[in-house]
Amino acid sequence: MIGKTYTTMLGGRELSIETGKLAKLVSGSVTVRYGDTILLVTAQARDEKSPLDFLPLTVEFEERHYAVGKIPGSFHRREGRPGERAILSARITDRQIRPLFPKGYRHETQVIITVISADQQNAPDVLGPIGASAALSISDIPWGGPTACVRVGQIDGQYVVNPTTEQLSRSRMDLVVAGTRDAVMMVECGAQTVSEDDLVGAIEFAHAEMQGVIDLIGRMRAELGQEKFNILAEGDLTPDLVPELTEKARAGGLRDALLTVKKKERSARTRAVRDAIIASYVPDPEADGAAARIATLKDAYAKVEKQELRRLILEEDLRADGRNSRTVRPIWIEARPLPRAHGSAIFTRGETQVLGVATLGTERDEILVDDLTEDTGDKFLLHYNFPPYSTGEVKRMGGQSRREIGHGHLAKRAIRAVLPSFEEFPYVIRLVGEVLESNGSSSMATVCAGTLALMDAGVPIKAPVAGVAMGLVMEGDKYRVLTDILGLEDALGDMDFKVCGSAEGVTALQMDIKVGGITPQIMREALAQAREGRLHILGKMAEVLSGPRPELSPTAPRIVSLKINPELIGKVIGPGGKQIRELEAMGAQITVEEDGTIRVFSASGEAAEAVRARIQGLTKEAKVGEEYDGTVVKTAPFGAFVNLYPGQDGMLHISQISEERLNAVEDALNVGDKLRVKIVGIDDRGKIDLIRPELEGKIAPREPRGPRPDRGDRPPRPPRRD
């Protein structure tokens, strides 16, 4: 038999990992199966070391449309660049495996996850990290796993591991957790305003549930794992210099430089301390060997700066800008800075600033989804833009980076939880977060700016939401949780923990750990401190906008909705779409659904109401007993045809026009005359019989028209005479 299969139970269903059957030339290759969802995962590293000074790891998540029996919807009918869902799935795997590569590992490494079968009930995004863990574990690539990843939902108060797509639609949370045997490494969550205790409980539940998978991969490694190749590490001379440089840096004013409030001034002052120290060691930077000596000193100084910053936080509760661990940076907000946008706001916290802009559109504006899910569209869009000037840099401008997509998705999950349903508020909503300044947590500032922009537009959100980024500095058993971290604290700290929510609870969460993991106690403390910071920010937001504006923005388009009999849709559309084109020419866009729901969208409220009135006239259904002010539109020997409303005529028989006998209809009525009429009968073909209401009871009613005979019951026509 080719290959070997390992199985375990996860969430009451079998999870199997097979190796040795497919893609055997790669260093590590496995297939992961859960239900009928199957992924091929490979891991490969270059033999030679990269000259880059960072870990050159790439994770690719490839969705194949054949996995669900679909042909791609692109022009070329083949898969193109990864979509948003695939990029987010790749990021989940990357964030799980990246921290566990050895320090100093610089070999270019690639993990490729290919979805080759998808049952649309068991999501592949949490199976990719399991496959990556298995492939890396049995490969020759140095890596500190195994790890595992699971999804947790909460249905009727109970936690559910790896809920199906149907179960997830009923869940109060969508929580993805990755971890090792001893610690949680990564958390990603969207929720319907859940408590912090529920979140911690779900994370602990997830960590316990993943242990069987970790044991399985550990068994694979023990039985099939290859010998890991040696890392050719160069001698690091910096540790010997650190104690000496630390004394010089402290004497040279490093402490005061680190406590400088503004980023540019702080960078300039710390650089000045560094340059002075280096000059004392290398007076002539042009001398032979000076460049290598300077590079070594810079590396050593970077360690000194990091250690000093962490010492200030742990021992003195002082941070890089002089704040203590619980203080949020100063906040200022401006609502509606853009006069023509539907909704806009500027949110500034310290040196992080985001312009949030809300735009309202119709169903025609929803984004189309072409991936392996059953979803076809999304009526809420959030786009996060991070231009290079936001950090004072010059970089090539291109498409959205994976980081931008990930940060935008986090903000989107945070805000989606408080949006009204489409039935309550029938607009497609687009939010844009333009990052204008960034020094820590621009994604959380996007949540705040986006919420303010929605409220400025008059969108009836359920509650305002805000976000705050938490950090952690840990040395042994000593640690300190930081509220509203700076970019520097993110880089030099041990945790990036973003928490979003309303005053009632959490709507989104993202956590990445750079150390071996954190305990539930630290997590609870971080969540409690995050709540304190979030409530402070919500209070500042309420000083400007305490809730949605009572009226829709004057620049926003208007949507009016009405419901008609589905059988009358044809009257609205007309032959070849003629009628609906005439309606849209009145200044509106119109959408018609199969159940008879019609939405009229126009920049002018008056135009929208005019179109609605016209549609109501076209689809109005006559009822026996109703009276109308009609207009005679045609006369015939047997009676007059009276228009009741647009598109609907009735017949007033000559016997129902007057108490006196008429020889001709024209003796009493002519085309164009207006009169009050009442419906007394409607036959099976929809033909309407009328009477003048003031004559009802004074003249004999006309016998109602009988059913129309079938063609077979009609007498034969007489022969035609030439």
Side-chain angles (χ1 to χ4, degrees):
M1 180 178 177
I2 299 176
K4 187 169 183 180
T5 302
Y6 295 78
T7 63
T8 188
M9 298 302 292
L10 180 63
R13 283 160 286 165
E14 184 178 85
L15 171 79
S16 67
I17 305 177
E18 185 179 35
T19 188
K21 181 178 180 180
L22 303 179
K24 297 186 292 296
L25 294 181
V26 74
S27 178
S29 169
V30 300
T31 55
V32 181
R33 179 166 185 163
Y34 196 55
D36 283 341
T37 296
I38 304 174
L39 281 68
L40 170 65
V41 186
T42 62
Q44 183 67 49
R46 288 186 183 275
D47 293 334
E48 61 275 7
K49 186 177 180 180
S50 168
L52 300 173
D53 61 352
F54 58 85
L55 170 61
L57 169 69
T58 57
V59 177
E60 304 293 343
F61 193 95
E62 299 287 315
E63 292 184 324
R64 298 291 187 249
H65 282 64
Y66 59 70
V68 291
K70 287 171 57 177
I71 294 175
S74 66
F75 180 79
H76 296 288
R77 294 296 186 266
R78 69 172 298 162
E79 293 84 2
R81 67 183 298 271
E84 181 175 301
R85 194 181 297 267
I87 289 172
L88 295 171
S89 298
R91 281 174 57 85
I92 288 175
T93 300
D94 187 298
R95 289 161 50 204
Q96 170 189 297
I97 64 176
R98 185 176 291 272
L100 297 179
F101 282 92
K103 188 175 181 180
Y105 178 77
R106 294 292 183 268
H107 293 257
E108 188 174 352
T109 303
Q110 188 175 50
V111 174
I112 300 177
I113 303 162
T114 308
V115 184
I116 56 177
S117 177
D119 61 15
Q120 298 182 324
Q121 285 299 311
N122 297 290
D125 58 349
V126 293
L127 302 180
I130 292 174
S133 173
L136 286 168
S137 293
I138 64 174
S139 74
D140 63 349
I141 302 170
W143 186 66
T147 59
C149 182
V150 298
R151 170 175 274 109
V152 173
Q154 187 183 43
I155 303 173
D156 298 328
Q158 300 297 315
Y159 296 129
V160 179
V161 65
N162 282 3
T164 64
T165 302
E166 186 278 327
Q167 288 176 316
L168 199 59
S169 68
R170 298 183 283 114
S171 175
R172 293 188 65 227
M173 68 171 68
D174 178 5
L175 176 76
V176 175
V177 181
T180 62
R181 186 179 305 282
D182 301 319
V184 171
M185 301 296 297
M186 184 276 295
V187 179
E188 180 92 29
C189 180
Q192 297 297 321
T193 315
V194 301
S195 70
E196 284 81 358
D197 285 342
D198 281 350
L199 277 175
V200 174
I203 292 169
E204 292 179 311
F205 173 79
H207 190 243
E209 289 291 324
M210 69 177 65
Q211 295 306 312
V213 180
I214 292 173
D215 290 341
L216 178 74
I217 297 173
R219 192 164 73 251
M220 289 181 65
R221 182 177 62 183
E223 295 178 10
L224 303 175
Q226 305 170 51
E227 182 180 353
K228 303 298 183 181
F229 63 76
N230 292 325
I231 302 174
L232 301 177
E234 298 176 0
D236 187 358
L237 304 177
T238 58
D240 297 335
L241 290 169
V242 168
E244 183 179 334
L245 292 186
T246 298
E247 291 185 13
K248 289 180 176 289
R250 287 176 178 172
L254 177 59
R255 184 181 188 278
D256 291 340
L258 287 173
L259 298 179
T260 304
V261 174
K262 293 191 175 181
K263 177 181 177 181
K264 284 188 176 181
E265 294 178 11
R266 181 169 58 253
S267 297
R269 292 185 64 181
T270 55
R271 194 183 308 115
V273 174
R274 183 197 67 186
D275 291 347
I277 293 172
I278 291 175
S280 69
Y281 283 92
V282 187
D284 183 6
E286 302 298 327
D288 290 343
R293 181 64 171 162
I294 289 172
T296 301
L297 288 166
K298 284 183 176 180
D299 287 346
Y301 178 82
K303 292 181 173 63
V304 169
E305 190 173 303
K306 178 179 179 178
Q307 290 178 4
E308 182 65 10
L309 179 63
R310 292 169 66 89
R311 185 196 67 78
L312 286 170
I313 291 170
L314 287 172
E315 296 180 6
E316 302 184 42
D317 195 13
L318 282 174
R319 298 163 65 179
D321 56 359
R323 287 179 293 151
N324 65 21
S325 57
R326 308 182 82 94
T327 301
V328 177
R329 289 172 288 174
I331 293 172
W332 71 263
I333 297 166
E334 181 181 346
R336 195 165 291 181
L338 307 182
R340 297 304 301 168
H342 299 163
S344 59
I346 297 172
F347 179 86
T348 306
R349 184 180 60 236
E351 293 180 310
T352 297
Q353 183 180 76
V354 173
L355 169 65
V357 186
T359 308
L360 307 181
T362 68
E363 286 175 275
R364 299 181 185 183
D365 297 311
E366 73 175 354
I367 188 170
L368 300 179
V369 176
D370 185 28
D371 58 21
L372 304 188
T373 68
E374 294 180 334
D375 298 335
T376 57
D378 194 348
K379 294 180 174 62
F380 175 46
L381 296 71
L382 192 149
H383 297 145
Y384 167 98
N385 297 323
F386 193 84
Y389 65 75
S390 65
T391 54
E393 296 175 285
V394 176
K395 293 181 180 178
R396 179 179 177 274
M397 296 283 285
Q400 269 195 309
S401 68
R402 293 190 171 195
R403 176 187 176 279
E404 286 176 286
I405 290 172
H407 283 204
H409 179 68
L410 176 60
K412 181 178 181 179
R413 297 182 89 172
I415 294 173
R416 188 193 287 277
V418 298
L419 290 179
S421 68
F422 189 72
E423 289 69 29
E424 296 171 308
F425 190 73
Y427 287 88
V428 168
I429 300 171
R430 183 191 186 219
L431 273 179
V432 176
E434 299 283 2
V435 181
L436 308 181
E437 300 174 15
S438 180
N439 183 16
S441 193
S442 54
S443 63
M444 297 297 92
T446 298
V447 173
C448 302
T451 297
L452 289 161
L454 288 174
M455 294 195 294
D456 179 56
V459 178
I461 61 174
K462 299 169 187 174
V465 294
V468 63
M470 311 299 293
L472 176 73
V473 174
M474 177 184 291
E475 297 287 352
D477 295 332
K478 193 172 183 179
Y479 66 89
R480 199 178 293 277
V481 176
L482 309 178
T483 298
D484 182 23
I485 58 174
L486 301 170
L488 178 63
E489 292 167 335
D490 184 7
L492 303 183
D494 300 319
M495 176 182 75
D496 181 11
F497 194 6
K498 300 182 176 77
V499 187
C500 314
S502 67
E504 299 300 317
V506 176
T507 59
L509 179 150
Q510 186 181 89
M511 181 179 73
D512 291 299
I513 302 298
K514 302 173 187 176
V515 291
I518 61 174
T519 65
Q521 174 56 36
I522 296 176
M523 202 176 303
R524 285 190 174 88
E525 185 176 329
L527 282 167
Q529 196 166 315
R531 176 176 175 79
E532 177 186 296
R534 185 172 78 246
L535 292 177
H536 170 77
I537 296 168
L538 285 169
K540 292 293 184 181
M541 292 166 60
E543 292 175 6
V544 179
L545 281 176
S546 58
R549 296 191 188 275
E551 299 291 336
L552 205 62
S553 168
T555 59
R558 266 48 183 174
I559 289 182
V560 295
S561 301
L562 64 158
K563 190 75 173 285
I564 67 169
N565 184 340
E567 295 180 359
L568 301 177
I569 289 175
K571 284 190 172 184
V572 178
I573 296 174
K578 178 182 177 182
Q579 184 61 63
I580 200 166
R581 286 196 297 272
E582 291 181 1
L583 291 169
E584 291 193 330
M586 296 171 65
Q589 291 182 18
I590 302 169
T591 61
V592 182
E593 298 180 6
E594 291 182 358
D595 66 353
T597 300
I598 297 179
R599 295 187 177 92
V600 181
F601 176 94
S602 176
S604 164
E606 292 180 359
E609 290 296 338
V611 172
R612 174 163 65 176
R614 179 78 176 275
I615 293 173
Q616 287 174 330
L618 287 170
T619 59
K620 187 175 178 66
E621 295 184 86
K623 296 180 181 178
V624 173
E626 290 184 341
E627 295 186 10
Y628 296 88
D629 291 318
T631 302
V632 178
V633 293
K634 182 181 178 182
T635 60
F638 52 82
F641 290 92
V642 181
N643 179 251
L644 308 179
Y645 49 82
Q648 186 64 66
D649 295 343
M651 199 273 284
L652 180 63
H653 195 267
I654 191 171
S655 66
Q656 308 297 302
I657 296 175
S658 172
E659 290 186 65
E660 300 177 0
R661 181 181 178 85
L662 300 177
N663 293 320
V665 172
E666 289 78 9
D667 292 342
L669 293 174
N670 291 292
V671 173
D673 287 350
K674 298 184 182 302
L675 72 163
R676 188 76 173 173
V677 292
K678 180 179 180 178
I679 299 176
V680 292
I682 304 175
D683 70 8
D684 62 332
R685 294 174 294 165
K687 302 298 184 182
I688 296 174
D689 286 331
L690 304 172
I691 190 174
R692 300 184 73 169
E694 66 269 19
L695 300 179
E696 196 172 16
K698 297 180 180 180
I699 58 177
R702 178 173 175 263
E703 290 294 324
R705 285 179 277 191
R708 185 175 183 177
D710 293 335
R711 183 171 297 276
D713 297 334
R714 294 179 183 176
R717 292 181 179 179
R720 181 176 179 180
R721 295 180 181 179
D722 294 333

